[in-house]
Amino acid sequence: MFDENGEKYLDCINNVAHVGHSHPYVIKAATKQMELLNTNSRFLHDNLVQYAQRLTATLPEKLSVCYFVNSGSEANDLALRLARQYRGHQDVITLENAYHGHVTSLIDISPYKFNQLEKDSKKEFVHVAPSPDVYRGKYREDHPDPASAYAEEVKKIIEETQKNGRKIAAFIAESMQSCGGQVIPPVGYFQKAAEYVHAAGGVFIADEVQVGFGRVGKHFWAFQLQGEDFVPDIVTMGKPIGNGHPMSCVVTTREIAEAFGASGLEYFNTFGGNPVSCAIGMAVLEVIEKEDLQRNATRVGNYLLELLTEQKQKHPLVGDIRGVGLFVGVDLVKDQQKRTPATAEALQLIYKLKEQQILLSADGPHRNILKFKPPMCFTMEDAKHVVDKIDVLLTGMYTNEGNSQPESVNESISHINGAACRQENGFYSDKRSVSSKRLRT
């Protein structure tokens, strides 16, 4: 990514520019189709069918019906409608610290957001299960079976809900929590939670908006980390699907889609699945395959984890390293035993990195977790460069403990927009930039 003066920034956080900023193949596909035709989806077009076929080919067989929409929030909102129509139930189980979108229906099921409001902001139809976090959560890495223990919490919620005469429509979970702190659920958790939810007449919604499209490396979808025996009932996708172009999708089973259609309320989306969006979506899938970006995510992600693990052994501030593929979290702590969140240190670190043309972010309920989710063309050289800089900055924190924090540390950084990855590497000059500059790709 480049600012208006041509200075280069290394993007470690932009999972929207999934295959790289301004990828020429994606741009060419978009401009070619726009020159030919773009119209609303009342007019049938081959791109719509072809893209749906390409997309569903990456998913388990029963996930076969696509609804194309325009943003992750719109996808999750539609997923709730599908779930509620399916059996006529209304209540939703969500996870602690979850974030699913900015529209009213999704703020209602996003503790990451509604907990910032007044005390009684949680709606009566919303039920919050513990985040399946084995580092900071209720059941940790020393528990013999954290997956079953966290699933039992879901079962308890269902039982209590039923006692109160309410019915569960859906359990919704990000396949890996991003805003919640780069949380990777223990294997087996989704299967057991889904068993309880299905028994109650609900459906399982896997939110892949942040983490889908090969980011985890070994699989195309993050929910597949749970094992081949787990298949959600509804999958939502967004952000990386169009490499920055506003598009998204909901994929579900034929049974759920038919129940939705039987309501008598026609579903129509003006721009969802338009010819240009579908051309872009197909181009993104082709780039992922042609440039072998899943394998790159595994190779570079493993290297990044190795480098960060070395930092954990070296710096007491590094409490936990967790991740898979190019989805990695670094949990900074003031005390290794108590796991006290090092919030101020995390904020200082990301601002210092930005001054050195590296864009990283901190998130989680305590804003103490450094999150890596770069474009998929991120290289081993990029990984080495950013970790070397983190090493220097962490070392400096010990030698300058008496210094006051910069004013910028007190600012909210949850929405710092980073970016940048090009196939050639030229990010390693010693020039420094003013952190407030506007950036352009």
Side-chain angles (χ1 to χ4, degrees):
M1 177 170 278
F2 299 81
D3 69 15
E4 67 273 29
N5 295 319
E7 295 217 49
K8 301 165 188 174
Y9 289 77
L10 176 62
D11 177 8
C12 302
I13 56 173
N14 200 324
N15 61 340
V16 176
H18 190 61
V19 299
H21 291 281
S22 305
H23 195 290
Y25 189 81
V26 178
I27 292 172
K28 183 179 179 180
T31 54
K32 181 180 179 181
Q33 182 59 50
M34 189 167 285
E35 288 175 347
L36 180 64
L37 173 71
N38 197 26
T39 184
N40 70 65
S41 51
R42 288 259 185 228
F43 297 86
L44 297 181
H45 192 277
D46 286 349
N47 283 5
L48 179 64
V49 177
Q50 291 169 3
Y51 182 48
Q53 291 173 335
R54 292 285 298 275
L55 193 59
T56 55
T58 69
L59 289 158
E61 185 176 356
K62 81 169 191 174
L63 294 167
S64 59
V65 181
C66 298
Y67 294 87
F68 291 107
V69 287
N70 306 290
S71 71
S73 290
E74 196 176 353
N76 281 329
D77 180 74
L78 178 56
L80 288 183
R81 287 182 58 190
L82 289 165
R84 285 171 168 155
Q85 177 63 34
Y86 182 53
R87 290 278 171 80
H89 300 178
Q90 290 299 312
D91 287 28
V92 177
I93 300 174
T94 187
L95 292 179
E96 182 184 16
N97 305 318
Y99 176 64
H100 295 289
H102 65 81
V103 299
T104 300
S105 65
L106 303 177
I107 295 294
D108 286 346
I109 63 167
S110 297
Y112 180 82
K113 288 296 185 182
F114 71 63
N115 283 339
Q116 300 173 30
L117 303 174
E118 60 270 12
K119 185 177 180 181
D120 298 323
S121 57
K122 185 176 80 68
K123 301 293 193 297
E124 63 179 1
F125 59 82
V126 176
H127 313 279
V128 181
S131 171
D133 183 347
V134 296
Y135 181 71
R136 292 191 170 277
K138 186 174 183 179
Y139 307 106
R140 300 188 174 183
E141 68 274 12
D142 57 352
H143 192 282
D145 188 2
S148 294
Y150 278 117
E152 283 296 316
E153 294 290 329
V154 175
K155 183 180 180 182
K156 290 176 186 176
I157 289 174
I158 293 172
E159 291 172 345
E160 186 65 26
T161 301
Q162 291 174 333
K163 285 179 184 178
N164 294 326
R166 306 190 68 90
K167 296 181 178 180
I168 299 298
F171 174 93
I172 184 169
E174 298 159 87
S175 298
M176 300 187 295
Q177 283 190 296
S178 181
C179 293
Q182 305 295 90
V183 175
I184 302 170
V187 173
Y189 170 61
F190 281 179
Q191 288 93 324
K192 293 178 173 66
E195 179 183 341
Y196 300 138
V197 171
H198 289 155
V203 301
F204 193 110
I205 303 171
D207 181 343
E208 291 271 340
V209 170
Q210 293 263 19
V211 295
F213 291 88
R215 176 160 297 279
V216 300
K218 64 180 75 174
H219 300 291
F220 203 80
W221 304 105
F223 72 77
Q224 293 170 320
L225 292 168
Q226 293 284 308
E228 292 183 2
D229 58 334
F230 172 70
V231 180
D233 302 294
I234 302 173
V235 176
T236 60
M237 47 194 80
K239 294 187 188 298
I241 189 172
N243 209 53
H245 179 78
M247 59 183 294
S248 60
C249 187
V250 181
V251 185
T252 189
T253 65
R254 185 162 298 280
E255 182 182 8
I256 292 174
E258 288 175 352
F260 186 57
S263 68
L265 183 65
E266 181 192 24
Y267 179 76
F268 174 68
N269 192 300
T270 303
F271 298 112
N274 69 73
V276 171
S277 291
C278 289
I280 290 171
M282 283 191 285
V284 170
L285 293 178
E286 288 165 8
V287 171
I288 293 170
E289 181 179 355
K290 289 178 179 178
E291 298 186 5
D292 205 5
L293 293 182
Q294 276 187 255
R295 182 176 296 182
N296 187 67
T298 296
R299 184 173 62 93
V300 178
N302 288 344
Y303 182 58
L304 177 61
L305 286 168
E306 289 174 11
L307 294 175
L308 291 169
T309 300
E310 292 174 5
Q311 298 305 305
K312 179 182 177 182
Q313 296 166 355
K314 185 176 180 180
H315 300 290
L317 266 174
V318 181
D320 186 43
I321 305 295
R322 51 184 177 264
V324 57
L326 287 175
F327 182 88
V328 176
V330 181
D331 200 316
L332 298 185
V333 298
K334 294 181 180 180
D335 185 291
Q336 290 275 353
Q337 297 302 316
K338 297 179 180 179
R339 303 184 179 183
T340 309
T343 302
E345 290 81 357
L347 303 191
Q348 182 179 11
L349 187 63
I350 65 167
Y351 276 107
K352 290 293 185 182
L353 286 170
K354 188 178 179 184
E355 291 174 358
Q356 299 187 40
Q357 288 112 327
I358 296 174
L359 302 174
L360 196 61
S361 183
D363 219 326
H366 307 288
R367 297 292 194 274
N368 69 304
I369 296 161
L370 308 179
K371 61 178 184 180
F372 290 83
K373 44 177 189 171
M376 294 276 282
C377 52
F378 204 70
T379 67
M380 296 178 77
E381 183 184 13
D382 296 331
K384 181 70 163 60
H385 176 62
V386 65
V387 175
D388 284 349
K389 293 293 186 182
I390 289 173
D391 183 19
V392 172
L393 291 172
L394 287 175
T395 302
M397 286 182 181
Y398 300 116
T399 59
N400 296 290
E401 285 182 346
N403 293 347
S404 60
Q405 303 286 359
E407 287 185 13
S408 58
V409 168
N410 297 318
E411 299 173 2
S412 170
I413 50 79
S414 61
H415 298 295
I416 286 180
N417 293 315
C421 183
R422 294 183 182 263
Q423 294 301 329
E424 69 273 17
N425 283 288
F427 293 104
Y428 311 123
S429 67
D430 292 327
K431 295 174 69 179
R432 297 167 68 88
S433 64
V434 179
S435 62
S436 62
K437 283 182 179 176
R438 291 179 294 108
L439 302 181
R440 64 173 175 82
T441 53

